[in-house]
Amino acid sequence: MQDAKGIENPAFVPSSPDTPRRASASPSQVEVSAVTSRNQNGDSQSRESEEPQKSSEPSLPSSTPPASDEPPGTQLCELEEGPCGWRDFHPRCLQLCNTPQGFLLHYCLLALTQGIVVNGLVNISISTIEKRYEMKSSLTGLISSSYDISFCVLSLFVSFFGERGHKPRWLAFASFMIGLGALVFSLPHFFSGRYELGSPFEDTCLTTRNTTGCTSSSSLLSNYLYVFVLGQLLLGTGGTPLYTLGTAFIDDCVPTHKSSLYIGIGYSMSILGPAIGYVLGGQLLRMYIDIAMGQSSDVTEDDPRWLGAWWIGFLLAWLFAWSLIIPFSCFPKYLPGTAKIQAGKTSQTHQSSSTSFQHTDENFGKSIKDFPTAIKNLMRNSVFICLVLSTTSEALVTTGFATFLPKFIENQFGVTSSFAATLGGAALIPGAALGQILGGVLVSKFKMKCKNTMKFALFTSGVALTLSFVFIYAKCENEPFAGVSESYNGTGELGNLTAPCNANCSCLRSYYYPLCGSDGIQYFSPCFAGCVNSVSSKKPKVYYNCSCIERKAEFTPTVESTDFEAKAGKCETRCANLPIFLGIFFVTVTFTFMAGTPITVSILRCVNHSQRSLALGVQFMLLRLIGTIPGPIIFGVTIDSTCVLWDVNECGIKGACWIYDNIRMAHMLVAISVTCKVITMFFNGLAIVLYKPPPPGTEVSFQSQNVVVSTISIEEDLNKVENEG
């Protein structure tokens, strides 16, 4: 009872006498009965009388006559399980991938690619794009937010219409759009011509300095902004079905207790993606931007004029994403055994008068007219709304820390920006990935029901809340800074970088190049330290004859000399709390993300089975509107409120902040973190209180286009198979 087009599954009995495969599961017309009363001695008529009252599934319209051997109330449907391949081409080697594990592998690769591009390569390339295409930070901020805008606009519609569609083909479409977005994002490099180096900047004290004055000029290069925005919009279009329909498909094809494990693994790949993107992008930025044109430069990475080859990573992502189109397109609409798995599931949908809505029309969901009704029904599910609000609050704080954690480490512990980014990524990315996997493993191992899953998420959030106070105990005092917290050898005023010792140097406040003096005091730049000479062949670069640094004798700079008055870079911090902070922060992130997978699983369980994809679409839309989009903005405004020294250009316009009040910054971040986590726990706890599970034994309705599968009894199934044979 097995042929080339399907795998035998005795749980499904064909309803059409024209079908030659009488007990084949894929693809065929199948009949699945819903029987809640298991009576082995009862005849078919007794089951007929019980089923219309006890079956949770509505019957089809009377216009569809049942077969002669079907009891009333049974469902006539076609379950599109099948082999892996295209049309009549089904190679045997491809069937090895026609399993939940095979689909999860390709899902992880696509999630990894999406994370590498959107949260890795784009973020690490923004500063390079600003310089190359002469854009303001506000414009590059629009580039970063374009992905979320696209996701928010499309998530509801894609999840609504995709629920009844061919989900693997939707993911093939996602692979195409992610690859196309990466390709479009790299196009400005090939049309903007060769990068022209400007004149080198002299950072030492000069009595006469060429200044451009206060001039505002616009460059045609900034018009490439629209190309970058288009690339991000395409990437957002590809990411929408990945995290809505892809997650729902995984939940379809695996048992309930394994769903959390599979989803946790898939989500962890999307978290590891940014880490790979940062590492890959960092290595590519060490290559000169015009390396493809055979161009090289004498400037080094330490030169402010240096620009790296930011575009190469996007081309690699384009090729890899498009290589996944073919694998996704060969998966069937449902993996073999999906209906049998669904038949063994029991409903955990939240029960209330507003959520008992179910449509019997199999065409519901195909028309845009059904969209408002579906949204209304979903928004009336109080447990679902509480869970979504808890995730949005958590997303706000996690995205805020993901954006500004390197800045916090750099300012608190006096390390370089690149090393701070490395440390932040080492604590944040592995901790988040580990948390996602651990959360899924524990929920799967203990086979937690919906309510217990929410309680587990509440517990992990409580532990993370307690550990959030690490920012108070790991804070560090600001190091002495000339003109900010220390005077220039008793001269000058605090809050003013200019003093008598550097008044004739024509220094630019917009050029921040920190310098550590031999007196242990940090200076804004070699110019503000009054340094006249330097030796660039040494690493780090050293400076001599600095009028603002107290010295005993005049230096004659030579390559062999070992004495110096100042060296490039920040002074070494005397704060030893960095290892403690990183260790506790790693544990905090792990417990924070341990709640991620359980909450996602709870959302899938508390809504009607046919609305899972739409529920995820609503979740991700609100998560971005309330969480990930305003999160970095709120963190940025809060951190800027702790600034003590701003960048002011020749036109008197305030720019970036150079120096922060470390103590106040730590306290403000603790306040935001604790507030968000309290909100998360409140809505999580409220969801637990409001949740009403269905009566024991209530069956899951597995509904999709032309598909209705309900739980069946093993005894009835075996009897029918015997009768058919």
Side-chain angles (χ1 to χ4, degrees):
M1 297 173 66
Q2 180 177 352
D3 57 23
K5 293 186 178 181
I7 299 175
E8 177 182 354
N9 190 339
F12 305 102
V13 182
S15 58
S16 172
D18 299 330
T19 304
R21 298 187 309 276
R22 300 298 297 169
S24 176
S26 59
S28 66
Q29 291 183 332
V30 298
E31 167 197 345
V32 184
S33 307
V35 180
T36 55
S37 175
R38 299 178 58 181
N39 185 358
Q40 297 181 2
N41 298 325
D43 56 13
S44 60
Q45 293 183 353
S46 65
R47 288 197 299 267
E48 292 175 8
S49 61
E50 291 178 5
E51 186 166 352
Q53 300 177 1
K54 296 186 177 182
S55 174
S56 63
E57 290 296 333
S59 60
L60 289 176
S62 58
S63 59
T64 305
S68 59
D69 59 343
E70 289 178 345
T74 60
Q75 304 298 333
L76 185 65
C77 61
E78 180 180 1
L79 184 62
E80 298 181 18
E81 296 181 2
C84 193
W86 304 271
R87 294 184 179 273
D88 296 329
F89 180 67
H90 306 127
R92 184 178 299 274
C93 59
L94 292 182
Q95 308 317 311
L96 297 176
C97 298
N98 200 21
T99 61
Q101 295 82 2
F103 179 84
L104 178 64
L105 173 63
H106 292 89
Y107 177 89
C108 289
L109 292 177
L110 184 58
L112 193 69
T113 305
Q114 186 267 348
I116 289 174
V117 177
V118 176
N119 298 318
L121 295 177
V122 171
N123 291 343
I124 202 171
S125 302
I126 283 295
S127 60
T128 303
I129 292 174
E130 283 184 3
K131 298 176 184 178
R132 177 65 181 92
Y133 299 98
E134 302 175 12
M135 296 181 186
K136 298 179 181 179
S137 296
S138 58
L139 296 181
T140 54
L142 175 61
I143 294 175
S144 300
S145 61
S146 297
Y147 175 86
D148 289 325
I149 294 174
S150 175
F151 201 108
C152 290
V153 171
L154 297 175
S155 61
L156 294 182
F157 298 99
V158 170
S159 58
F160 177 71
F161 293 107
E163 172 63 31
R164 291 177 172 267
H166 197 297
K167 294 185 181 69
R169 290 178 185 170
W170 273 96
L171 292 188
F173 168 76
S175 302
F176 174 79
M177 297 304 294
I178 290 175
L180 182 62
L183 175 62
V184 170
F185 202 91
S186 67
L187 289 181
H189 171 76
F190 301 100
F191 293 97
S192 56
R194 189 167 62 91
Y195 172 57
E196 299 292 341
L197 286 171
S199 58
F201 181 80
E202 184 59 47
D203 57 0
T204 54
C205 178
L206 299 175
T207 55
T208 59
R209 186 186 301 272
N210 294 327
T211 58
T212 58
C214 182
T215 58
S216 59
S217 60
S218 59
S219 172
L220 294 177
L221 290 174
S222 60
N223 291 331
Y224 284 105
L225 165 73
Y226 304 106
V227 182
F228 290 120
V229 169
L230 176 61
Q232 282 283 73
L233 292 176
L234 294 174
L235 288 168
T237 304
T240 303
L242 174 64
Y243 293 109
T244 54
L245 303 179
T247 304
F249 186 84
I250 292 176
D251 188 56
D252 277 340
C253 63
V254 296
T256 302
H257 67 280
K258 290 185 178 181
S259 177
S260 58
L261 175 61
Y262 280 64
I263 294 174
I265 294 175
Y267 281 9
S268 67
M269 292 299 104
S270 65
I271 295 174
L272 288 177
I276 298 176
Y278 270 91
V279 174
L280 175 63
Q283 294 300 314
L284 293 175
L285 289 180
R286 301 179 65 180
M287 303 167 60
Y288 188 61
I289 187 171
D290 288 327
I291 187 173
M293 300 180 183
Q295 301 288 336
S296 60
S297 175
D298 295 333
V299 299
T300 62
E301 297 178 49
D302 298 328
D303 194 301
R305 299 172 296 166
W306 171 273
L307 292 182
W310 61 272
W311 50 275
I312 297 180
F314 292 93
L315 293 182
L316 296 177
W318 159 52
L319 296 174
F320 190 79
W322 277 13
S323 69
L324 295 174
I325 296 177
I326 295 178
F328 277 117
S329 64
C330 75
F331 280 103
K333 187 173 182 179
Y334 300 102
L335 297 180
T338 296
K340 184 177 181 180
I341 291 173
Q342 292 297 324
K345 291 184 177 181
T346 57
S347 175
Q348 301 179 41
T349 305
H350 169 59
Q351 300 297 300
S352 68
S353 58
S354 62
T355 58
S356 60
F357 167 88
Q358 285 195 8
H359 277 281
T360 59
D361 184 6
E362 66 176 9
N363 292 321
F364 180 80
K366 295 181 181 179
S367 173
I368 189 66
K369 296 179 181 179
D370 302 326
F371 181 73
T373 304
I375 292 293
K376 180 181 178 181
N377 176 58
L378 200 57
M379 300 302 288
R380 293 171 66 185
N381 189 325
S382 57
V383 174
F384 167 72
I385 295 299
C386 288
L387 292 176
V388 169
L389 292 177
S390 70
T391 60
T392 56
S393 175
E394 198 69 70
L396 188 148
V397 68
T398 53
T399 54
F401 274 117
T403 305
F404 292 100
L405 180 63
K407 181 183 288 289
F408 176 83
I409 296 176
E410 176 184 358
N411 287 275
Q412 288 285 336
F413 305 106
V415 298
T416 62
S417 57
S418 59
F419 188 53
T422 302
L423 292 177
L428 186 63
I429 302 300
L434 179 62
Q436 289 280 14
I437 296 177
L438 280 179
V441 168
L442 292 176
V443 171
S444 175
K445 180 177 178 61
F446 294 101
K447 299 182 180 180
M448 299 182 188
K449 297 293 184 180
C450 185
K451 195 164 191 175
N452 289 334
T453 303
M454 291 187 285
K455 290 180 180 179
F456 174 75
L458 180 64
F459 168 75
T460 58
S461 297
V463 175
L465 171 63
T466 305
L467 296 174
S468 297
F469 292 94
V470 63
F471 291 97
I472 292 181
Y473 300 106
K475 64 181 181 295
C476 296
E477 296 281 351
N478 289 82
E479 297 296 326
F481 199 106
V484 178
S485 59
E486 296 287 334
S487 62
Y488 289 93
N489 293 325
T491 63
E493 299 178 356
L494 295 182
N496 188 358
L497 294 177
T498 303
C501 60
N502 58 29
N504 298 325
C505 294
S506 303
C507 301
L508 297 178
R509 186 169 170 175
S510 58
Y511 181 76
Y512 179 52
Y513 192 78
L515 194 73
C516 183
S518 57
D519 54 359
I521 297 177
Q522 185 171 310
Y523 295 84
F524 188 84
S525 69
C527 182
F528 278 104
C531 300
V532 177
N533 305 108
S534 65
V535 176
S536 58
S537 59
K538 291 188 174 183
K539 298 295 181 182
K541 188 177 181 180
V542 296
Y543 296 85
Y544 302 92
N545 299 326
C546 304
S547 58
C548 294
I549 300 176
E550 185 178 3
R551 62 183 185 276
K552 299 179 181 179
E554 190 81 5
F555 279 105
T556 301
T558 62
V559 178
E560 292 78 13
S561 59
T562 57
D563 296 327
F564 60 89
E565 289 185 71
K567 62 180 180 179
K570 298 179 180 180
C571 296
E572 294 183 4
T573 179
R574 291 182 288 270
C575 180
N577 294 335
L578 180 58
I580 300 175
F581 168 79
L582 291 177
I584 300 180
F585 186 78
F586 176 84
V587 179
T588 304
V589 171
T590 301
F591 275 96
T592 297
F593 279 84
M594 281 178 69
T597 301
I599 289 296
T600 301
V601 172
S602 299
I603 290 175
L604 293 173
R605 299 289 171 263
C606 75
V607 300
N608 290 331
H609 192 278
S610 61
Q611 290 193 300
R612 292 167 309 140
S613 296
L614 183 60
L616 293 176
V618 172
Q619 179 204 10
F620 280 109
M621 185 196 70
L622 294 178
L623 185 140
R624 279 164 168 76
L625 288 178
I626 307 176
T628 60
I629 293 178
I633 298 175
I634 294 174
F635 267 72
V637 172
T638 302
I639 291 177
D640 282 346
S641 67
T642 66
C643 182
V644 295
L645 182 64
W646 289 94
D647 168 28
V648 180
N649 63 11
E650 294 84 353
C651 301
I653 300 176
K654 185 188 295 185
C657 179
W658 298 130
I659 307 297
Y660 296 90
D661 184 339
N662 289 351
I663 302 299
R664 190 181 178 197
M665 180 191 291
H667 290 169
M668 295 293 284
L669 291 183
V670 168
I672 295 178
S673 179
V674 170
T675 301
C676 289
K677 289 192 175 298
V678 168
I679 295 174
T680 297
M681 295 183 64
F682 170 77
F683 283 110
N684 198 336
L686 185 60
I688 296 174
V689 174
L690 295 176
Y691 176 69
K692 296 179 180 179
T698 304
E699 300 155 348
V700 170
S701 171
F702 179 48
Q703 297 182 352
S704 186
Q705 187 175 3
N706 298 326
V707 176
V708 181
V709 178
S710 301
T711 308
I712 63 173
S713 66
I714 298 177
E715 291 81 5
E716 179 184 4
D717 175 66
L718 294 178
N719 290 335
K720 286 194 174 185
V721 172
E722 292 176 358
N723 294 333
E724 292 287 341

